[in-house]
């Protein structure tokens, strides 16, 4: 049996198959008439960030937009060719660590990713890199027009008089998956101020508010900043836990963004009032019981641009006029506000927790294995692991909480809430348990074909052949039509597979192959010099076939029945610099 050791923190990973090339051909005069082969293996710590809509049923997905990289080691992060003009395309952002950096567990590279995506609430995520290995990070965003399950939104406008509020009240709505609301009240006579505290002379105020449930997977997958922040300070601005990171256990989060005219509102001349309702079925991390009137919850604010969390003191739970539990507080600045208990160090169990999967002999699949509170608040998880019967998942550190449970779901639950929870354990004490089995029937393994991929490029404007190193994407149209996440990420080094996330990868004497599904329809995508390339849609089968023409990618597939292996050789024709 194999044991998977996982981070107790939330690595926001998900499947996506595509191809993001990270090279350009240099001018080779006077050798333009001679065919040269150029290897392109020059990057360190390849990182692919995929921005996705948290509502998987929406047809609106993040497209092209600017991204801000900030934080302690932002100067060590770059895009293709050393560019620091960070721009996502088709929701994808490939990053690299500069070659002079040597990230490790004792010398990590830390930075923050921030983006304002048109039509979505701003997103921010702290990233920690501890090795040169490939990393995929999925950041989900809340679409204002089609909010995901477990979230509620208020998008509204109000009139200002030369930048002064006439007294405004903004309230999020409710839905079948979110019954709690947040109300923001601006007293009459309050001036709206920019980030420098300067009054904004405008006559219209636009307010965007998102309330996040702490117990809905689609909601907490999109929590700005995640659940394992490292840049956390107390009320006096001093680092908590020496900057080593803490773990949040949330009772709810609200993101408040406003503009006066075209200027971001960041401060107010006098305090505004915020009232966040709390679901009564929320576990108080301090007591292990359902939250109640009189309980105290720490309040934190997030600087989205830098990723820094700051303590705003404690809030005592009361009730409002509707009999709902509520946290009331006042603030003179805008940000994300999170009601969070936290744990690290002395609040951690001194023993690991091992989960053994009993899914049936010969069965396997990709699963999320999540440790949650009795009311499904996130504690820790392994996301998207390829697991077989009898395999073990080990949580090396577990929070000290009287009761918790393990939930098993199909992979992509956090991006696709329609996928079911397959099984869950009874409640148990994670510190005392040590080990637990979970039994359920996994789906039958589909008919698999092993696939080798070799990609090369031929410059359209010079006689140069490239063996690319970069991201490669496959789109599974069959899975997409079934409501599943259709993407798998591959990373190529000199034209061959070096890393796969989404489809199982095997190593045969140093040759890496991925396992794809016989009979499924796929497309191949690539990106180079601000241009997307793709093949046509093809049905993967156990025969020789040509990739149908698309936009710039062509190729052939040769099937070996003896090894059940399909060898795909593809080419594309970029315009080299």
């Amino acid at each position: 049996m194999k044991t998977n050791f996982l981070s107790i923190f939330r690595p926001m990973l998900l499947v996506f198959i595509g191809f993001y090339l990270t090279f350009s051909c240099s001018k080779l005069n006077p050798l333009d008439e001679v065919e040269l082969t150029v290897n392109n293996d020059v990057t360190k710590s390849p990182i692919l960030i995929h921005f996705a809509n948290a509502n998987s049923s929406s047809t609106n997905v993040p497209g092209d937009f600017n991204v801000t990289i900030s934080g302690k080691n932002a100067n060590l992060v770059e895009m293709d060719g050393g560019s620091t003009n960070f721009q996502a395309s088709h929701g994808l952002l490939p990053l690299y660590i500069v070659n002079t950096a040597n990230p490790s567990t004792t010398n990590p590279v830390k930075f923050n990713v921030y983006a304002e995506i048109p039509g979505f609430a701003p997103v921010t995520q702290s990233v920690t890199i501890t090795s040169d290995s490939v990393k995929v990070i999925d950041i989900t965003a809340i679409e204002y027009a089609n909010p995901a399950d477990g979230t509620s939104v208020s998008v509204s406008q109000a009139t200002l008089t030369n930048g002064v509020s006439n007294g405004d009240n903004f309230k999020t709505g409710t839905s079948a998956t979110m019954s709690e609301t947040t109300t923001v009240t601006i007293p009459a006579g309050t001036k709206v101020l920019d980030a420098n505290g300067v009054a904004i002379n405008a006559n219209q105020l636009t307010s965007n508010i998102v309330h996040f449930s702490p117990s809905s997977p689609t909601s907490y997958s999109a929590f700005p900043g995640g659940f394992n922040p490292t840049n956390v300070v107390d009320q006096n601005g001093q680092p908590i836990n020496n900057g080593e990171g803490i773990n949040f256990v949330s009772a709810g989060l609200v993101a408040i963004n406003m503009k006066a005219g075209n200027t971001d509102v960041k401060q107010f001349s006098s305090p505004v009032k915020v009232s966040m309702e709390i679901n009564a079925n929320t576990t108080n991390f301090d007591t292990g019981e359902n939250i109640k009137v009189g309980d105290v919850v720490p309040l934190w604010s997030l600087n989205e641009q830098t990723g820094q969390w700051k303590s705003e003191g404690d809030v005592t739970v009361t009730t409002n006029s509707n009999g709902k539990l509520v946290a009331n507080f006042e603030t003179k600045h805008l940000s994300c506000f999170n009601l969070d208990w936290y744990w690290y160090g002395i609040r951690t169990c001194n023993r690991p927790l091992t989960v053994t999967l009993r899914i049936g002999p010969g069965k396997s699949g990709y699963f999320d294995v999540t440790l949650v509170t009795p009311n499904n608040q996130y504690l820790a998880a392994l996301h998207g692991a390829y697991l077989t019967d009898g395999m073990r998942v080990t949580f090396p550190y577990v929070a000290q909480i009287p009761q918790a449970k393990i939930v098993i779901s199909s992979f992509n639950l956090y991006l696709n809430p329609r996928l079911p929870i397959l099984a869950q354990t009874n409640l148990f004490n994670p510190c005392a348990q040590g080990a637990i089995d979970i039994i359920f029937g996994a789906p039958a393994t589909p008919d698999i074909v092993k696939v080798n991929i070799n990609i090369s490029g031929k410059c359209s404007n010079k006689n140069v052949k490239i063996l690319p190193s970069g991201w490669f994407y496959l789109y599974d149209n069959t899975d997409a039509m079934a409501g599943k996440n259709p993407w798998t990420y591959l990373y190529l080094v000199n034209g061959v597979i070096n890393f796969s996330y989404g489809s199982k990868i095997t190593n045969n004497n140093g040759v890496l192959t991925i396992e794809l599904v016989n009979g499924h329809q796929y497309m191949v995508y690539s990106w180079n010099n601000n241009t997307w390339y793709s093949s046509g849609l093809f049905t993967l089968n156990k025969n020789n076939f040509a990739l149908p023409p698309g936009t710039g990618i062509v190729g052939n597939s040769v099937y070996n029945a003896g090894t059940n292996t399909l060898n795909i050789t593809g080419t594309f024709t970029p315009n080299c610099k």
Side-chain angles (χ1 to χ4, degrees), residues 294-337:
D295 283 358
V296 174
V297 188
L299 177 67
W300 308 81
S301 63
L302 172 66
N303 184 322
E304 293 172 299
Q305 283 80 4
T306 66
Q308 184 179 81
W309 288 97
K310 182 178 182 180
S311 171
E312 298 282 347
D314 294 331
V315 178
T316 300
V317 177
T318 60
T319 56
N320 60 17
S321 59
N322 296 321
K324 287 282 196 75
L325 296 179
V326 66
N328 294 312
F329 59 92
E330 294 185 344
T331 180
K332 293 183 70 174
H333 69 94
L334 288 184
S335 71
C336 292
F337 293 97

Side-chain angles (χ1 to χ4, degrees), residues 152 154 168-173 178-186 209-212 251-256 271-279 299 315-331 337 339:
S152 59
S154 168
D168 298 301
N169 193 65
F170 307 104
K171 184 177 181 179
T172 61
M178 182 64 174
S179 59
E180 287 71 49
T181 65
T182 289
T183 303
V184 178
T185 302
I186 304 176
I209 305 171
V210 181
H211 188 154
F212 296 76
L253 181 147
V254 60
I256 308 171
V272 301
K273 298 178 180 180
V274 181
S275 180
M276 290 178 61
E277 292 182 346
I278 303 173
N279 192 308
L299 177 67
V315 178
T316 300
V317 177
T318 60
T319 56
N320 60 17
S321 59
N322 296 321
K324 287 282 196 75
L325 296 179
V326 66
N328 294 312
F329 59 92
E330 294 185 344
T331 180
F337 293 97
L339 295 168

Side-chain angles (χ1 to χ4, degrees), residues 9 33 50 137 140 159 203 219 223 231-232 269 271 292 342 366 376 381 405 475 479 494 500 508 511 559 567:
F9 314 127
E33 300 306 316
H50 174 211
I137 299 172
T140 54
T159 300
N203 293 318
S219 168
F223 263 43
N231 188 359
V232 188
S269 61
K292 63 182 186 303
Y342 66 99
Y366 286 92
N376 297 315
K405 60 183 177 180
Y475 182 84
D479 274 352
N494 293 332
S500 171
N508 300 311
V511 178
Y559 180 67
N567 294 290

